[in-house]
C-alpha cells in the first residue's frame, strides 16, 4: 500500500499554482505545508469541515479549480456533505480522501482508534451511491497521478479515495513554518481578493 507522503509529493509536482488546495487537520496540513508553500493553500480545516469548505469555495468561485485534501476520519464526521456535493455538482471540485483506516491523533508509532473505513465502509461506494459518478479508489502513485490529471482537466465533481498506509512512516523534512489557522485564513482571503477581484476582508475601518 502507498504512503500519504508519496502521494502528496506527487501532487506537489503536478498541481498548478492557481488551484485552491484545502487541507484537513493533521498530517495532510503538515506535509502539504512543507511540500508546497503557496498562497493558494488553506490549512488546518477541522473535523468534518474540509470537504464542506471546499464545496462552498467551488460554488462561490465557479471558474477556479478547488481541491480538498481530506481524510477518512474527518470526512465521516460530516458524511452528508458527499450527498450535497453530488446534488450541487460543482464542475470545478475534486475531493481527495487519504484513507488510512484510523484516527492517528497524537499516536506516533502505532495506529489510533479505527475509523469506519477500517471495517465495512467503502468511501468510493458511498460517493457513487450519493451520485458522484467520477469516484474511484487508488492504491499507488501512478494511479493517483492519472486520476489527478484527469480531474484537473475534466468537469467534476471528482472523488478520489486514496488507500494509504495506517502510519505515516515517512514524510517531508521540516524546513518551513506552516502558518497557524488564523494567520493562514487572512493570507488565503487576501490571495482570493487579489486574484479574483472581490472584496472579502474590507477596509477594517468600520461604519461611519
Amino acid at each position: 500500500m502507498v504512503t500519504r507522503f508519496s502521494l502528496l509529493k506527487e501532487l506537489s509536482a503536478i498541481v498548478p499554482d492557481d488551484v485552491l488546495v484545502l487541507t484537513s487537520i493533521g498530517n495532510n496540513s503538515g506535509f502539504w505545508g512543507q511540500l508546497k508553500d503557496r498562497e493558494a493553500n488553506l490549512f488546518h480545516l477541522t473535523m468534518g469541515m474540509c470537504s464542506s469548505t471546499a464545496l462552498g469555495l467551488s460554488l462561490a468561485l465557479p471558474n477556479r479549480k478547488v481541491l480538498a485534501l481530506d481524510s477518512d476520519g474527518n470526512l465521516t464526521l460530516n458524511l452528508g456533505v458527499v450527498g450535497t456535493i453530488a446534488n450541487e455538482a460543482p464542475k470545478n471540485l475534486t475531493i481527495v480522501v487519504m484513507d488510512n483506516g484510523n484516527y492517528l491523533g497524537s499516536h506516533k508509532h502505532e495506529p489510533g482508534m479505527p475509523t469506519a473505513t477500517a471495517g465495512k465502509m467503502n468511501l468510493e461506494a458511498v460517493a457513487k451511491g450519493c451520485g458522484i459518478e467520477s469516484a474511484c479508489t487508488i492504491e499507488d502513485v501512478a494511479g493517483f497521478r492519472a486520476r489527478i490529471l484527469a480531474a484537473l482537466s475534466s468537469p467534476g465533481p471528482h472523488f478520489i479515495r486514496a488507500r494509504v498506509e495506517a502510519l505515516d512512516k515517512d514524510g517531508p523534512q521540516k524546513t518551513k513554518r506552516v502558518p497557524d489557522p488564523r494567520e493562514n485564513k487572512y493570507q488565503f482571503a487576501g490571495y482570493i481578493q487579489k486574484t479574483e477581484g472581490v472584496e472579502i476582508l474590507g477596509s477594517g475601518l468600520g461604519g461611519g
Side-chain angles (χ1 to χ4, degrees):
M1 196 178 295
V2 73
T3 66
R4 182 197 314 263
F5 175 54
S6 63
L7 296 184
L8 293 182
K9 185 177 180 181
E10 185 69 19
L11 180 64
S12 72
I14 60 177
V15 69
D17 286 339
D18 62 343
V19 173
L20 304 178
V21 177
L22 290 71
T23 62
S24 62
I25 58 172
N27 284 345
N28 278 351
S29 287
F31 286 12
W32 187 249
Q34 298 298 324
L35 288 166
K36 198 72 171 177
D37 185 11
R38 58 208 287 278
E39 292 183 294
N41 289 334
L42 185 61
F43 298 111
H44 311 296
L45 288 156
T46 193
M47 298 289 285
M49 294 306 298
C50 185
S51 292
S52 301
T53 306
L55 170 62
L57 272 174
S58 69
L59 295 175
L61 303 172
N63 296 317
R64 197 72 175 265
K65 292 286 186 181
V66 179
L67 190 151
L69 290 176
D70 213 336
S71 58
D72 53 323
N74 280 270
L75 180 60
T76 53
L77 188 66
N78 186 15
L79 199 58
V81 71
V82 182
T84 305
I85 289 169
N87 287 332
E88 295 295 333
K91 295 181 179 180
N92 55 332
L93 178 61
T94 298
I95 304 295
V96 176
V97 182
M98 297 293 177
D99 185 358
N100 64 3
N102 76 100
Y103 294 97
L104 275 176
S106 60
H107 292 268
K108 302 298 181 183
H109 305 295
E110 61 181 14
M113 184 176 70
T115 64
T117 65
K120 296 181 179 180
M121 176 180 277
N122 181 323
L123 289 174
E124 176 192 348
V126 170
K128 285 183 175 178
C130 286
I132 299 178
E133 295 182 7
S134 179
C136 66
T137 296
I138 66 91
E139 298 186 7
D140 57 55
V141 173
F144 182 71
R145 179 184 179 87
R147 287 291 184 169
I148 289 292
L149 291 174
L152 293 175
S153 61
S154 63
H158 304 282
F159 186 97
I160 302 170
R161 173 200 179 209
R163 291 193 65 210
V164 297
E165 294 279 359
L167 288 177
D168 292 318
K169 297 178 182 179
D170 58 354
Q173 289 188 336
K174 295 181 180 180
T175 60
K176 305 169 186 175
R177 175 183 170 272
V178 179
D180 70 43
R182 290 170 295 182
E183 177 185 3
N184 176 231
K185 176 179 69 175
Y186 286 106
Q187 289 176 346
F188 184 77
Y191 172 73
I192 297 298
Q193 284 190 153
K194 178 175 65 176
T195 57
E196 294 294 328
V198 296
E199 185 174 344
I200 301 171
L201 300 174
S203 66
L205 299 177

